[in-house]
């Protein structure tokens, strides 16, 4: 949710700002901008839309480079995605970029308007610039001005700030949104939203803590904590792979990431399971006998992963498993105590609502675990237990390999915890781990349905609404299929529990309503088949994703069926994820939408 970068090296910074913004574009692409300071002047260029628009503009007008600069890629919160609202904002001598939301912005804005401030944009960011500028007029001590203004701001934010005439001073502030400081491999200091943004320049990274301020120059930096005491923060050595930024032979990152799934499942499983001995290793702190409840909280795609996990964990532990979306969980005053095992699931490890839910659970005494892909993220640092996924960097906003790795971890966890409770015996566990071990091969086989799915996608591209249905773990997969389709094609889609259809949504069915039904050959197959017949009787346009062995039977009913490899009930959630991802991808390709950067979305949502 907005990416920020700041560089102070005393040498040309503009090219570095742009290369870092390229790495940050996954956080938002409504507008982009950079600014530098040189010889007592400020130079700034901004453009609405993607970073390429800014690059084009800079090519036309030229750069005024400097030894210090800041840059921003925006996901709009306050104010439309126009150039006027694009960052950096300049107010008198203050130049700043911002990620997050200032909640008391209206009240601060009114105060400023009452004292005749000239406010040019609709952003909350500009308000911060005015407050700093006003404070500097009262007292020109920059540190005091920043500390005073930050103390007035409510909400979640990360800031990078420069002051005209101060060409060796880069300021950063973190409160609720991630911000890291990089110590240059060669020279200088850097401030960025994440380690990826700093990766072209720095392997030595400091993750600022809540309330921290940093004042950096080319040769030094100092950090103050929320009580304004100077503090030393740990320097981490980080290796970030830039290879992830390359699409390889694929047209889109989504396709590249999609086809990486057999590999990343393998990497993730290998962390938890010794496939020779079928032994599962889980963190010693995960002693299920200490808990009487498991709560899993997450957002978006990760929420559907959590729902899949609920089916597995309840079955293998016989323990109550609650699943909730983080934005609801955090405000519904849930009863929590030290008997709860709280699990947050997040690709980025930074999603604001999920992070807040994790903190709430910690504060109420739960043992907390984070199923997280970014090992350096805030959630990974704050949870008691890290359950890493090994998806590698995921660039496409719509998650594919991130999701499959999340369910890989939840699957291994359900075996490990099931053994601890005695609900599973060794034989059950061996059978399940062996089924998981087959996944890379099975997923590769699933790719063979691509041409059938392309045919279906060409039809789906012409419709306005789609219903996805499934039972058991295919129900969250149906919802994930609908989300994926909505995200990248803008076609309205909903995922329903197949058995719930008759309680309302069946009214939608006519010959124009396409239905995608996920029906693996499992214990609820017959039930789903009854639902299929109910829909067929009402003329719905049905396509069934089912097993090879059942596909013929569906076709005999005169319905379309796409056959997936036969698999066990346990691993069917993995297998049936593939066709729904493929369907969304090929529909988007057919429609010509922006697959990797769909409108209005961002990969990492650090505002609530
Ligand atoms: C955003 C992304 C989704 C993602 C969700 C949760 O909304 O667009 O694709 O599933 O955030 O992200 P997380 O990083 O917590 O898994």
């Amino acid at each position: 949710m907005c990416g920020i970068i700041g560089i102070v090296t005393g040498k040309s910074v503009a090219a570095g700002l742009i290369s870092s913004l390229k790495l940050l574009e996954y956080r938002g692409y409504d507008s982009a901008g950079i600014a530098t300071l040189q010889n007592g002047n400020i130079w700034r260029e901004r453009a609405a839309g993607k970073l390429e628009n800014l690059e084009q503009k800079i090519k036309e007008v030229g750069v005024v480079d400097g030894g210090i600069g800041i840059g921003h890629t925006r996901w709009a919160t306050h104010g439309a995605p126009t150039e006027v609202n694009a960052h950096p904002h300049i107010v008198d001598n203050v130049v700043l970029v911002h990620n997050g939301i200032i909640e008391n912005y209206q009240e601060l804005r009114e105060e400023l308007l009452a004292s005749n401030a000239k406010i040019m944009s609709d952003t909350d960011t500009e308000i911060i610039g005015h407050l700093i500028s006003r404070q500097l007029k009262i007292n020109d001590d920059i540190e005091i001005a920043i500390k005073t203004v930050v103390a007035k701001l409510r909400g979640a934010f990360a800031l990078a700030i420069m002051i005209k005439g101060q060409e060796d001073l880069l300021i950063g502030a973190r409160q609720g949104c991630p911000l890291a400081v990089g110590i240059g491999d060669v020279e200088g200091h850097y401030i960025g939203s994440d380690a990826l943004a700093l990766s072209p320049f720095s392997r030595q990274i400091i993750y600022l803590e809540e309330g921290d301020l940093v004042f950096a120059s080319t040769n030094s930096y100092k950090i103050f904590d929320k009580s304004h005491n100077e503090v030393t923060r740990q320097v981490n050595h980080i290796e970030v792979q830039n290879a992830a930024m390359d699409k390889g032979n694929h047209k889109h990152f989504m396709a590249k990431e999609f086809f990486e799934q057999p590999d990343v499942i393998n990497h993730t499983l290998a962390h938890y399971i010794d496939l020779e001995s079928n032994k599962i290793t889980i963190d010693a702190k995960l002693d299920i006998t200490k808990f009487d409840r498991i709560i899993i909280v997450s957002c978006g795609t990760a929420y559907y992963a959590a729902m899949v996990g609920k089916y597995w964990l309840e079955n293998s532990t016989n323990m109550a498993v609650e699943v909730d979306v983080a934005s609801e969980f955090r405000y519904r005053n849930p009863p929590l105590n030290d008997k709860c095992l709280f699990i947050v699931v997040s690709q980025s490890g930074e999603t604001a609502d999920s992070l807040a839910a994790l903190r709430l659970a910690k504060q109420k005494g739960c043992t907390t675990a984070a199923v997280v892909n970014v090992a350096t993220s805030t959630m990974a640092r704050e949870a008691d237990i890290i359950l890493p996924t090994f998806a590698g960097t995921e660039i496409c906003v719509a998650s594919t390999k991130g999701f499959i790795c999340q369910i890989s971890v939840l699957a291994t966890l359900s075996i490990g915890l099931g053994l601890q409770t005695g609900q599973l015996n060794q034989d059950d566990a061996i059978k399940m781990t062996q089924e998981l071990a087959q996944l890379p091969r099975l997923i590769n086989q699933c790719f063979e349905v691509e041409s059938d799915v392309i045919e279906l996608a060409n039809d789906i591209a012409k419709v306005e609404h789609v219903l996805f249905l499934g039972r058991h773990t295919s129900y969250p997969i149906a919802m994930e299929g609908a989300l994926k389709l909505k995200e990248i094609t803008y076609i309205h889609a909903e995922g329903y529990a197949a058995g719930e259809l008759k309680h309302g949504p069946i009214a939608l069915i006519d010959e124009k309503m396409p239905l995608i039904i996920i029906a693996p050959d499992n214990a609820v197959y017959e039930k789903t088949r009854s639902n299929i017949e109910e829909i067929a009787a009402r003329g719905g346009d049905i396509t069934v994703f089912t097993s090879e062995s059942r596909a013929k039977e569906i076709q005999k009913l005169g319905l379309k069926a796409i056959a997936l490899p036969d698999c066990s009930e346990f691993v069917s959630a993995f297998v049936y994820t593939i066709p729904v991802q493929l369907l969304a991808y090929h529909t988007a390709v057919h429609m010509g939408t922006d697959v990797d950067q769909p409108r209005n979305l961002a990969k990492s949502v650090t505002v609530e």
Side-chain angles (χ1 to χ4, degrees):
M1 205 91 321
C2 298
I4 66 185
I5 176 70
I7 305 179
V8 56
T9 57
K11 310 232 172 91
S12 308
V13 297
L17 292 173
I18 295 285
S19 61
S20 184
L21 289 183
K22 283 189 181 145
L23 299 172
L24 283 169
E25 220 185 355
Y26 76 93
R27 301 176 74 92
Y29 31 82
D30 286 335
S31 65
I34 61 172
T36 63
L37 300 182
Q38 61 327 102
N39 309 321
N41 298 312
I42 304 169
W43 171 78
R44 169 184 70 176
E45 208 52 73
R46 303 178 290 177
K50 292 196 177 175
L51 182 60
E52 61 199 28
N53 298 354
L54 176 70
E55 288 182 280
Q56 185 55 37
K57 203 163 169 199
I58 290 176
K59 225 184 249 169
E60 286 158 19
V61 298
V63 181
V64 184
D65 218 335
I68 180 169
I70 55 178
H72 189 264
T73 175
R74 179 167 189 244
W75 186 82
T77 55
H78 287 88
T82 57
E83 186 175 325
V84 170
N85 289 330
H87 303 213
H89 288 277
I90 302 177
V91 181
D92 305 324
N93 293 339
V94 182
V95 192
L96 78 164
V97 291
H98 163 218
N99 167 27
I101 293 179
I102 306 301
E103 286 171 358
N104 53 340
Y105 136 89
Q106 263 315 339
E107 139 196 352
L108 295 169
R109 184 181 163 95
E110 273 153 33
E111 243 176 77
L112 287 166
L113 287 172
S115 59
N116 293 325
K118 276 209 178 94
I119 299 177
M120 314 296 286
S121 73
D122 306 317
T123 64
D124 47 354
T125 312
E126 190 190 343
I127 303 301
I128 308 172
H130 280 278
L131 294 175
I132 299 172
S133 171
R134 199 168 62 170
Q135 195 61 39
L136 284 172
K137 284 176 193 154
I138 300 168
N139 177 347
D140 65 3
D141 184 314
I142 294 173
E143 278 186 24
I144 292 179
I146 300 291
K147 287 173 185 169
T148 312
V149 170
V150 165
K152 286 193 175 144
L153 305 176
R154 275 206 321 269
F157 54 84
L159 299 166
I161 308 163
M162 308 186 293
I163 310 288
K164 181 175 162 184
Q166 300 288 330
E167 282 157 35
D168 198 26
L169 176 63
L170 177 63
I171 305 158
R174 174 193 170 146
Q175 186 172 300
C177 290
L179 195 64
V181 177
I183 301 166
D185 292 338
V186 181
E187 64 204 335
H189 288 101
Y190 302 80
I191 293 177
S193 295
D194 59 22
L196 186 65
L198 302 177
S199 62
F201 327 107
S202 167
R203 307 266 155 305
Q204 308 292 325
I205 307 281
I206 298 161
Y207 294 102
L208 293 181
E209 293 185 10
E210 294 304 348
D212 279 359
L213 296 174
V214 58
F215 295 86
S217 66
T218 304
N219 297 317
S220 65
Y221 66 88
K222 49 186 180 177
I223 298 174
F224 295 92
D225 68 9
K226 57 174 178 280
S227 313
H228 298 166
N229 298 315
E230 193 169 344
V231 285
T232 308
R233 297 273 180 239
Q234 187 187 327
V235 179
N236 304 277
H237 185 84
I238 303 289
E239 290 297 341
V240 181
Q241 286 179 358
N242 278 329
M245 300 306 295
D246 181 9
K247 284 185 207 143
N249 293 329
H250 299 279
K251 209 168 148 204
H252 300 101
F253 280 111
M254 185 172 181
K256 176 184 174 238
E257 291 164 3
F258 172 82
F259 286 109
E260 282 169 4
Q261 291 184 107
D263 283 345
V264 296
I265 292 175
N266 228 347
H267 295 159
T268 302
L269 292 178
H271 182 78
Y272 299 92
I273 309 177
D274 177 346
L275 292 174
E276 301 254 303
S277 63
N278 294 306
K279 194 172 174 296
I280 300 244
T281 310
I282 50 172
D283 195 298
K285 280 179 268 176
L286 272 174
D287 174 2
I288 200 71
T289 56
K290 291 196 317 208
F291 310 114
D292 61 13
R293 198 155 57 109
I294 300 172
I295 301 171
I296 319 179
V297 170
S298 41
C299 301
T301 286
Y303 172 62
Y304 299 131
M307 282 185 72
V308 173
K310 175 185 164 85
Y311 286 87
W312 289 333
L313 283 159
E314 280 183 349
N315 187 50
S316 68
T317 65
N318 195 29
M319 192 176 269
V321 181
E322 272 175 43
V323 176
D324 207 348
V325 284
S327 53
E328 288 302 314
F329 177 82
R330 61 182 291 197
Y331 291 117
R332 69 178 167 82
N333 196 18
L336 300 170
N337 54 40
D338 60 0
K339 290 269 186 205
C340 304
L341 169 62
F342 175 93
I343 304 174
V344 65
V345 183
S346 174
Q347 188 284 127
S348 63
E350 300 293 352
T351 303
D353 285 317
S354 302
L355 180 59
L358 167 68
R359 288 176 176 165
L360 175 70
K362 256 190 117 158
Q363 188 200 326
K364 298 249 179 136
C366 307
T367 296
T368 58
V371 177
V372 70
N373 193 43
V374 180
T376 53
S377 61
T378 311
M379 286 182 219
R381 294 198 303 278
E382 294 193 10
D384 301 319
I385 301 156
I386 309 178
L387 298 169
T389 59
F390 293 87
T393 309
E394 195 177 52
I395 303 293
C396 176
V397 167
S399 180
T400 50
K401 62 177 184 168
F403 174 80
I404 214 98
C405 287
Q406 287 164 349
I407 62 172
S408 302
V409 173
L410 293 168
T412 54
L413 197 62
S414 68
I415 306 174
L417 298 184
L419 278 171
Q420 283 184 10
T421 56
Q423 184 75 8
L424 296 183
N425 62 33
Q426 280 301 338
D427 289 348
D428 300 325
I430 290 174
K431 183 169 168 284
M432 290 166 86
T433 52
Q434 284 174 343
E435 286 170 11
L436 291 177
Q438 299 303 314
L439 275 172
R441 178 188 57 79
L442 267 178
I443 301 292
N444 270 318
Q445 279 179 27
C446 292
F447 295 156
E448 290 168 19
V449 299
E450 191 170 13
S451 54
D452 293 341
V453 175
I454 291 175
E455 233 175 84
L456 174 63
N458 295 348
D459 292 338
I460 294 290
K462 298 180 199 117
V463 304
E464 286 178 6
H465 310 277
V466 182
L467 283 180
F468 287 75
L469 303 179
R471 281 174 180 260
H472 198 262
T473 55
S474 302
Y475 165 40
I477 300 304
M479 290 198 279
E480 170 60 4
L483 177 67
K484 217 81 309 167
L485 192 73
K486 281 189 268 223
E487 279 182 304
I488 63 172
T489 68
Y490 321 138
I491 293 172
H492 172 232
E494 297 299 334
Y496 269 99
E500 187 64 13
L501 194 76
K502 55 187 170 294
H503 300 296
I506 201 162
L508 295 170
I509 289 170
D510 60 17
E511 63 290 349
K512 290 196 289 285
M513 174 59 85
L515 290 109
I516 309 297
I517 303 174
I518 302 162
D521 192 3
N522 58 17
V524 289
Y525 172 79
E526 297 295 345
K527 306 279 170 205
T528 312
R529 201 193 126 135
S530 305
N531 301 133
I532 294 171
E533 302 217 23
E534 286 155 18
I535 301 161
R538 287 160 179 85
D541 175 10
I542 299 171
T543 305
V544 186
F545 292 157
T546 188
S547 64
E548 271 162 18
S549 46
R550 295 290 188 178
K552 288 201 179 68
E553 158 186 325
I554 298 290
Q555 283 155 348
K556 273 196 203 138
L557 296 174
L559 304 173
K560 288 174 271 179
I562 293 185
L564 279 302
D566 288 335
C567 65
S568 71
E569 173 158 322
F570 180 42
V571 299
S572 65
F574 293 87
V575 168
Y576 286 80
T577 294
I578 302 303
V580 300
Q581 291 175 342
L582 269 177
L583 179 61
Y585 176 69
H586 284 294
T587 309
V589 170
H590 188 94
M591 294 171 76
T593 54
D594 192 337
V595 172
D596 288 329
Q597 295 183 327
R599 73 182 180 205
N600 302 338
L601 297 179
K603 183 117 193 107
S604 178
V605 181
T606 55
V607 293
E608 58 170 301

